[in-house]
């Protein structure tokens, strides 16, 4: 048994999904599980294998980045200049840039290179306190290369010092170059080959689809999702990012666990999202980089929709591997409070991975994953994002990493 004592403030979440804060707190864990939480002066008297003073730290459930495109070949820095001169994301994509250029580079990259980059990006996210992350494919877009990236994630997840990884298949990211003239054949490849092999090899938990002009339509997403579900994969959606694609209705029809982006979600779609129980995932780095409006965070929250915050780390729309950066933007760009953002990277991010019964809260029986930050309060940490004195430490699977 180990214990963190005299924690400045310990943050977790109530049954009704409000943030709760305990000052001068203690948390006890054994192996990988939390076994006691409360005020330090009520700490059960017994011998602990390790007893640490955390009076300079706030402690939160380990941060979860529930939307990343963790590894890929090449970079797209030149596109940023094009965007600043007025080119849109879709125009760049139509000229062979965008996702397809990363597909070319990813296919050319060696396994070792993709693994090194996955590790490097995961490590950067970990420095912000991330203990769990979701990692998507989507730059292979063939049976061979989608599986290759998932196998790299599997290999990385065997390293216990790395954040826990929840892998997602995103073969339906866009239509690859070689299928430009026959998109139906690519959709058939996804449904008849890629999804069944990924499922049979147990390489992914989720199937994601980019629903947008130039990628996949509403009806295609319904069809691909039903195949994914039959193959035991849960559903995620990239939707309403650049235009209204009826993301709420699609979430309802597909039973999606999460609907991500939602910058252009309509009021009718918000009502449907509420009915569906799907988690909305906000990705403020991508919204801002593409000069999109922010998603309507206040409206979603007022409607009682669980709202997570994530980086969307990827080489195009969000090349910033930093969760604290996303958390700060969620406040200043999306008008969320620090408390809502903390719930968004813990409780609701866990729900976006369908893992909220084990992750995202500090509660007896939950995983012993903590983020410890040398700050006065969570408000200070998020509002003063990047403050150099805010040293971040993590407990992952019950161990200091
Ligand atoms: O989440 N929207 C689609 N996919 C990514 C962008 C991927 C890319 O530009 O490489 C996103 O923003
Ligand atoms: Fe994304």
């Amino acid at each position: 048994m180990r214990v963190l004592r005299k924690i400045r403030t310990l943050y977790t979440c109530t049954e009704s999904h409000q943030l709760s804060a305990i000052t001068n707190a203690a948390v006890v864990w054994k192996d990988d599980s939390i076994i006691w939480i409360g005020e330090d002066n009520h700490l059960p008297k017994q011998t602990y294998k390790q007893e640490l003073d955390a009076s300079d730290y706030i402690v939160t459930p380990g941060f979860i980045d529930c939307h990343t495109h963790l590894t890929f070949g090449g970079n797209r820095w030149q596109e940023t200049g094009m965007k600043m001169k007025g080119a849109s994301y879709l125009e760049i994509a139509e000229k062979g840039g965008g996702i397809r250029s990363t597909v070319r580079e990813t296919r050319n990259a060696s396994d070792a290179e993709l693994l090194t980059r996955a590790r490097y990006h995961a490590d950067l996210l970990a420095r912000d306190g991330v203990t769990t992350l979701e990692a998507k494919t989507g730059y292979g877009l063939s049976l061979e290369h989608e599986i290759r990236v998932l196998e790299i994630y599997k290999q990385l997840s065997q390293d216990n010092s790395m954040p826990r990884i929840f892998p997602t298949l995103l073969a339906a990211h866009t239509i690859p170059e070689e299928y430009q003239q026959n998109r139906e054949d690519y959709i058939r490849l996804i449904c008849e080959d890629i999804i069944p092999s990924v499922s049979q090899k147990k390489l992914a938990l989720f199937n994601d689809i980019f629903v947008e002009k130039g990628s996949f339509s509403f009806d295609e997403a319904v069809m691909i999702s039903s195949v994914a579900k039959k193959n035991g994969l849960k559903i995620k959606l990239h939707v309403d990012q650049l235009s209204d694609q009826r993301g709420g209705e699609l979430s309802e029809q597909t039973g999606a666990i999460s609907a991500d982006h939602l910058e252009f979600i309509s009021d009718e779609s918000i009502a449907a999202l509420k009915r569906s129980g799907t988690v909305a995932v906000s990705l403020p780095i991508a919204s801002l980089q593409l000069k999109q409006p922010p998603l309507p965070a206040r409206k979603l929250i007022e409607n009682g929709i669980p709202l997570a915050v994530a980086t969307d780390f990827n080489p195009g729309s969000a090349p910033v591997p930093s969760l604290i950066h996303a958390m700060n933007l969620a406040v200043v760009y999306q008008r969320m409070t620090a408390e809502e953002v903390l719930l968004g990277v813990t409780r609701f991010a866990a729900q976006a991975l369908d893992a909220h019964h084990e992750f995202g809260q500090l509660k007896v029986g939950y995983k012993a994953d903590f983020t410890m930050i040398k700050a006065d309060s969570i408000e200070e940490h998020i509002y003063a994002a990047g403050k150099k004195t805010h040293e971040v430490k993590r407990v992952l699977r019950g161990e200091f990493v």
Side-chain angles (χ1 to χ4, degrees), residues 92-289:
I92 292 172
E94 277 156 16
K95 288 192 184 127
I99 297 171
R100 280 192 210 113
S101 86
T102 302
V103 171
R104 285 192 291 276
E105 304 253 27
T106 304
R107 288 177 180 176
N108 286 332
S110 66
D111 292 2
E113 196 180 330
L114 291 176
L115 177 62
T116 303
R117 293 187 82 181
R119 185 186 300 280
Y120 173 58
H121 297 144
D123 180 56
L124 290 174
L125 293 168
R127 293 187 208 188
D128 279 347
V130 170
T131 53
T132 294
L133 57 84
E134 183 256 17
K136 300 178 196 293
T137 63
Y139 296 117
L141 308 191
S142 69
L143 177 64
E144 176 196 347
H145 291 285
E146 288 292 297
I147 295 226
R148 191 162 78 99
V149 172
L150 288 170
E151 275 170 346
I152 284 165
Y153 292 153
K154 184 172 173 189
Q155 207 177 327
L156 187 64
S157 66
Q158 279 150 8
D159 178 344
N160 275 350
S161 71
M162 282 287 119
R164 301 173 193 261
I165 297 178
F166 283 62
T168 295
L169 174 67
L170 178 59
H173 200 183
T174 196
I175 305 286
E177 240 146 40
E178 63 277 18
Y179 284 95
Q180 260 334 280
Q181 304 314 320
N182 40 4
R183 57 183 295 119
E184 282 70 31
D185 286 352
Y186 184 59
I187 295 175
R188 202 167 308 120
L189 179 77
I190 295 177
C191 294
E192 293 178 7
D193 292 334
I194 303 182
I195 292 177
S197 341
V198 165
S199 151
Q200 196 243 327
K201 292 177 191 285
K202 296 196 179 0
L203 285 171
L205 294 167
F206 295 95
N207 186 74
D208 198 346
I209 306 175
F210 183 25
V211 186
E212 191 55 70
K213 290 177 199 132
S215 287
F216 297 87
S217 70
F218 187 106
D219 292 341
E220 288 166 349
V222 170
M223 204 272 286
I224 297 169
S225 296
S226 93
V227 173
K229 279 193 288 188
K230 281 195 199 110
N231 280 274
L233 299 177
K234 301 178 210 183
I235 305 305
K236 284 184 166 285
L237 301 166
H238 276 73
V239 72
D240 296 345
Q241 180 185 17
L242 310 172
S243 59
D244 176 9
Q245 297 287 325
R246 299 192 293 137
E249 291 84 342
L250 185 58
S251 301
E252 206 179 9
Q253 278 197 35
T254 57
I257 301 291
S258 81
D260 304 33
H261 284 292
L262 305 178
E263 285 89 338
F264 287 92
I265 190 167
S266 68
D267 288 351
E268 299 76 60
S269 220
I270 290 179
L273 197 62
K274 184 171 183 176
R275 289 193 298 272
S276 71
T278 303
V279 180
V281 178
S282 70
L283 305 168
I285 300 177
S287 313
L288 200 58
Q289 293 253 342

Side-chain angles (χ1 to χ4, degrees), residues 67 69 238 261 312:
H67 183 139
H69 304 248
H238 276 73
H261 284 292
D312 192 17

